[in-house]
């Protein structure tokens, strides 16, 4: 406001007046000191009225989505509320273990759990499917959900914390994915908006490619191979018309390439992702991403540069 | 337990959520009914992407659910908004990393996707202009202003969501209004 000091107390006083918390008499000393404030206040009051009457967006078109989420959450709630029969069995076993000393039972338990977790993680890493993992965005860290999530998720993020969020998220992703039962539940829950697709040659190719991907992971194939397979999956899902699945696989490829610093692989996955985004109707985003891809590939003198440049030109010209 | 669905609508958020903690599905339905639209719109405003907003929305309610025992009462709206905000910022940061560029201009604001069809053309145009200018405000002011006027939250809640004092929340909203007023004045004079 012209002439007014940038003083938080003064601003707070005016704010409180505009909110109706204090009367105009509280502002009198200010008004005498700054007569131009009167006109400014009138404008702000007029804006206040305009803001107060801002209509709400009409989200009725999203009711089917809301219903699907609700149904899944309710099912999850009911499952959570149901008593666990396995824990009861477990407690019986422990109580009945009088033949062996207790510490042996504990030791055996620890070993069994460790082996179980290792096998489980390995099998999950090998068989993680779009259904289980990509439905859950990579930014969701299962460990947070199981243990100390509230401190991070239920407390406000300060502006200065956002960069830390980025860094920690990157670190977590770099450390690999821990798919706990919680995450499996989460993933199942997040299979909300999925629609069964009829079997088609593309579906068969997808299935085949997923098997290849699983085999590659089990055999410890190099990351470049994994990325190529993931990218192919993204392309096939796009051909099939399942754009959300396509996007998820390609985003996964981008992130994994980024984690290990494979610049070209990342750019190639981003290129395909841009095409999927374009198919989703996100033209602006798609063009910006393709511009980025062509910059990277040109800098790397990569043979795919020309192809992606042509793709960018085609999409840009179709926009005009 | 044992409160029927009609009675839930007469209870406060905290009272209903206590029933959610006891596993009452009807109580959950009530909480979901109260917040689904607001939280979805809020997520959308932050991530500026419908698909991402859907993900964040689901994750928010899942987190609310998973950590229901950790809510000790007091301000449910602020709690659920805080969770949504944190997931939304995480999602946005991840998205920026994937896209390879830091600055993401709003591509599909919620007004662009879901305009209120009941508005007159003039009101709709005015609404779009105001929202467009709000979207251009610096993020800390925009957030406060949106929480106040689009989500209609009290300053106490806004302060809790943003992790600032109530006075600072008021000052931020006031500054946002001053900025908006200046922008609109210039536009009106053109």
């Amino acid at each position: 406001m012209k002439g007014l000091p940038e003083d938080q107390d003064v601003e707070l006083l005016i704010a409180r007046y505009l909110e109706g918390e204090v009367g105009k008499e509280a502002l009198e000393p200010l008004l005498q000191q700054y007569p131009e404030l009167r006109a400014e206040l009138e404008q702000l009051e007029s804006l206040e009225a305009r803001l107060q009457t801002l209509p709400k967006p009409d989200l009725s078109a999203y009711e089917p989505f809301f219903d699907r989420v609700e149904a899944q959450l309710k099912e999850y709630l009911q499952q959570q509320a149901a008593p666990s029969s396995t824990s009861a069995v477990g407690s019986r076993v422990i109580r009945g273990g009088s033949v062996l000393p207790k510490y042996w039972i504990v030791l055996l338990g620890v070993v069994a759990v460790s082996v179980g977790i290792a096998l489980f993680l390995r099998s999950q890493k090998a068989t993680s499917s779009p259904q289980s993992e990509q439905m859950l965005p990579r930014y969701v860290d299962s460990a947070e959900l199981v243990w100390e999530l509230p401190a991070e998720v239920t407390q406000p993020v300060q502006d200065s914390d956002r960069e830390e969020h980025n860094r920690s998220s990157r670190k977590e992703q770099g450390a690999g994915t821990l798919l706990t039962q919680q995450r499996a539940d989460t993933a199942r829950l997040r299979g909300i908006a999925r629609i069964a697709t009829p079997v088609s040659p593309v579906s068969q190719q997808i299935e085949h490619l997923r098997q290849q991907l699983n085999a590659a992971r089990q055999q410890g194939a190099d990351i470049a191979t994994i990325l190529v397979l993931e990218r192919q999956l993204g392309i096939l899902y796009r051909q099939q018309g399942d754009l959300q699945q396509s996007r998820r696989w390609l985003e996964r490829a981008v992130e994994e390439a980024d984690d290990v610093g494979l610049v070209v692989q990342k750019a190639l996955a981003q290129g395909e992702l841009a095409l999927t985004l374009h198919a989703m109707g996100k033209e602006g985003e798609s063009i910006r991403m393709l511009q980025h891809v062509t910059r990277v590939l040109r800098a790397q003198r990569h043979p795919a540069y020309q192809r992606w440049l042509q793709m960018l030109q085609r999409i840009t010209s179709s926009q005009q | 337990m044992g409160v029927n669905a009609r009675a839930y609508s007469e209870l406060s958020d905290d009272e209903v959520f206590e029933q959610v903690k006891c596993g009452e599905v009807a109580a959950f339905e009530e909480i979901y009914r109260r917040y689904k639209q607001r939280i979805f719109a809020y997520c959308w405003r932050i991530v500026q992407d419908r698909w991402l907003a859907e993900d964040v929305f689901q994750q928010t309610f899942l987190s609310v659910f998973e950590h229901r025992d950790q809510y000790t009462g007091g301000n449910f709206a602020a709690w659920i908004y805080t969770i949504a905000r944190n997931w939304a910022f995480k999602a946005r940061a991840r998205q920026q990393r994937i896209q390879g560029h830091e600055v993401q201009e709003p591509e599909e604001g919620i007004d662009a996707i879901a305009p209120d069809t009941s508005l007159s053309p003039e009101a709709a145009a005015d609404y779009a202009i105001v929202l467009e200018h709000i979207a251009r405000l610096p993020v800390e002011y925009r957030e406060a202003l949106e929480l106040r006027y689009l989500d209609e939250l009290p300053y106490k809640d806004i302060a809790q969501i943003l992790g600032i004092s109530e006075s600072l929340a008021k000052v931020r909203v006031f500054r946002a209004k001053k900025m908006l007023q200046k922008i609109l004045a210039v536009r009106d004079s053109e």
Side-chain angles (χ1 to χ4, degrees):
Chain A
M1 213 164 281
K2 293 183 293 196
L4 268 182
E6 287 287 328
D7 183 327
Q8 198 164 306
D9 289 338
V10 172
E11 289 176 310
L12 183 60
L13 182 63
I14 302 170
R16 292 183 64 200
Y17 164 72
L18 289 170
E19 293 290 333
E21 290 178 17
V22 295
K24 205 159 193 171
E25 64 279 0
L27 287 183
E28 276 310 321
L30 266 180
L31 288 168
Q32 282 173 10
Q33 200 175 348
Y34 305 100
E36 69 276 12
L37 177 60
R38 211 173 290 274
E40 301 266 0
L41 278 179
E42 278 173 23
Q43 288 175 347
L44 282 171
E45 281 166 341
S46 153
L47 176 66
E48 181 75 27
R50 213 164 159 185
L51 289 171
Q52 298 257 357
T53 54
L54 275 178
K56 299 286 160 292
D58 179 10
L59 292 174
S60 55
Y62 287 87
E63 283 304 327
F65 165 73
F66 292 143
D67 291 346
R68 283 197 299 275
V69 176
E70 183 179 7
Q72 293 283 338
L73 285 168
K74 274 158 61 177
E75 186 191 330
Y76 187 66
L77 177 63
Q78 281 162 342
Q79 284 175 2
Q80 294 279 306
S84 166
S85 57
T86 51
S87 61
V89 169
S91 63
R92 276 202 299 278
V93 169
I94 290 168
R95 278 199 301 273
S98 55
V99 178
L100 292 171
K102 278 183 182 172
Y103 63 86
W104 272 110
I105 296 171
V106 172
L107 188 62
L108 285 172
V110 168
V111 171
V113 168
S114 306
V115 171
I117 289 173
L119 289 172
F120 176 72
L121 287 176
R122 186 174 171 158
S123 67
Q124 288 299 328
K125 184 73 177 170
T127 58
S128 63
S129 68
Q131 294 299 92
S132 64
E133 214 169 322
Q134 97 291 25
M135 291 308 290
L136 184 69
R138 291 285 307 275
Y139 55 85
V140 177
D141 185 76
S142 56
E144 289 174 325
L145 289 174
V146 182
W147 296 292
E148 293 299 324
L149 177 135
E152 189 175 345
V153 168
T154 64
Q155 298 298 317
V157 181
Q158 297 295 325
D159 295 348
S160 58
D161 291 341
R162 286 183 199 146
E163 182 55 32
E164 184 54 37
H165 264 299
N166 298 351
R167 279 199 299 273
S168 62
S169 160
R170 196 184 176 94
K171 194 173 147 195
E172 286 154 8
Q173 287 157 356
T177 307
L178 178 66
L179 187 67
T180 59
Q181 182 58 45
Q182 179 85 21
R183 184 162 191 168
D185 287 344
T186 308
R188 185 170 43 72
L189 179 65
R190 295 179 59 76
I192 286 163
R194 304 211 45 72
I195 300 165
T197 47
V199 176
S200 70
V202 178
S203 301
Q204 286 167 5
Q205 285 180 52
I206 287 172
E207 191 51 44
H208 178 65
L209 208 53
R210 279 173 54 179
Q211 284 168 4
Q212 272 189 293
L213 182 61
N214 292 341
R217 282 220 160 103
Q218 274 175 331
Q219 290 158 13
D222 64 295
I223 184 70
T225 307
I226 303 283
L227 293 175
V228 169
L229 292 170
E230 285 178 350
R231 201 168 71 230
Q232 287 297 324
L233 269 170
I235 294 168
L236 284 175
Y237 272 116
R238 188 173 64 234
Q239 285 174 6
Q240 197 188 33
D242 192 342
L243 300 176
Q244 189 69 338
Q245 284 283 48
S246 171
R247 179 180 180 171
R248 284 178 169 135
W249 276 107
L250 292 167
E251 285 184 349
R252 181 171 166 164
V254 171
E255 284 190 288
E256 287 183 3
D258 190 54
D259 285 341
V260 290
L262 292 177
V263 178
V264 170
Q265 288 291 342
K266 183 183 173 187
L268 294 174
Q270 281 176 315
E272 295 297 342
L273 179 58
L275 298 185
T276 296
L277 293 175
H278 187 261
M280 286 173 138
K282 299 159 87 68
E283 285 89 359
E285 200 63 66
S286 169
I287 289 170
R288 280 198 294 277
M289 199 177 279
L290 281 176
Q291 286 168 339
H292 170 77
V293 167
T294 50
R295 272 198 301 273
V296 172
L297 293 177
R298 188 179 55 195
Q300 297 288 325
R301 298 176 189 280
H302 195 272
Y305 164 66
Q306 283 299 334
R307 178 183 166 242
W308 284 108
L309 183 64
Q310 284 169 5
M311 199 66 82
L312 171 63
Q313 287 165 344
R314 198 180 306 162
I315 285 181
T316 312
S317 60
S318 72
Q319 281 294 105
Q320 297 160 352
Chain B
M1 279 194 264
V3 183
N4 64 44
R6 185 193 282 176
Y8 281 130
S9 63
E10 292 158 14
L11 299 180
S12 69
D13 286 348
D14 277 4
E15 288 167 330
V16 178
F17 201 65
E18 276 305 309
Q19 299 298 318
V20 175
K21 286 182 181 178
C22 298
E24 281 292 309
V25 176
F28 169 73
E29 285 172 2
E30 177 62 21
I31 284 288
Y32 188 75
R33 186 188 63 76
R34 288 183 192 181
Y35 283 94
K36 62 183 178 185
Q37 293 214 0
R38 297 164 68 187
I39 293 297
F40 186 68
Y42 179 61
C43 294
W44 199 334
R45 284 206 310 269
I46 295 177
V47 298
Q48 300 284 340
D49 178 304
R50 173 194 154 184
W51 305 98
L52 213 49
E54 288 185 4
D55 278 348
V56 173
F57 173 81
Q58 294 172 46
Q59 191 55 56
T60 298
F61 275 97
L62 184 61
S63 294
V64 165
F65 217 19
E66 293 293 336
H67 303 284
R68 58 191 180 275
D69 291 335
Q70 287 159 20
Y71 176 68
T72 51
N75 195 339
F76 183 79
W79 191 62
I80 190 171
Y81 266 85
T82 304
I83 292 171
R85 180 174 184 263
N86 289 343
W87 283 122
F89 274 115
K90 276 194 169 193
R92 204 174 67 171
R94 173 179 173 268
Q95 205 62 11
Q96 285 174 345
R97 178 187 172 208
I98 287 169
Q99 287 164 357
H101 51 85
E102 292 302 311
V103 182
Q104 186 186 3
E105 289 169 17
E107 186 166 274
E108 41 178 19
I110 191 136
D111 56 311
I113 305 290
D116 187 342
T117 48
S118 65
L119 294 176
S120 69
E122 296 79 22
D126 185 53
Y127 171 59
I129 288 165
V130 172
L131 284 187
E132 187 191 322
H133 290 307
I134 289 175
R136 288 181 189 171
L137 295 175
V139 65
E140 68 266 36
Y141 299 119
R142 189 187 78 212
E143 262 198 298
L145 191 76
E146 286 176 341
L147 287 168
R148 179 69 183 141
Y149 291 100
L150 298 181
D151 297 294
E152 295 178 339
L153 291 173
Y155 281 107
K156 182 165 67 84
D157 293 7
I158 297 171
Q160 201 170 325
I161 294 163
L162 300 180
I164 56 178
S165 70
E166 203 173 322
S167 297
L168 186 54
K170 285 178 186 172
V171 170
R172 281 195 187 177
V173 171
F174 172 68
R175 286 180 183 167
K177 281 193 284 195
K178 274 202 311 185
M179 291 177 197
L180 190 60
Q181 171 60 35
K182 273 185 192 165
I183 298 168
L184 290 171
V186 170
R187 190 191 162 276
D188 291 344
S189 66
E190 283 172 355

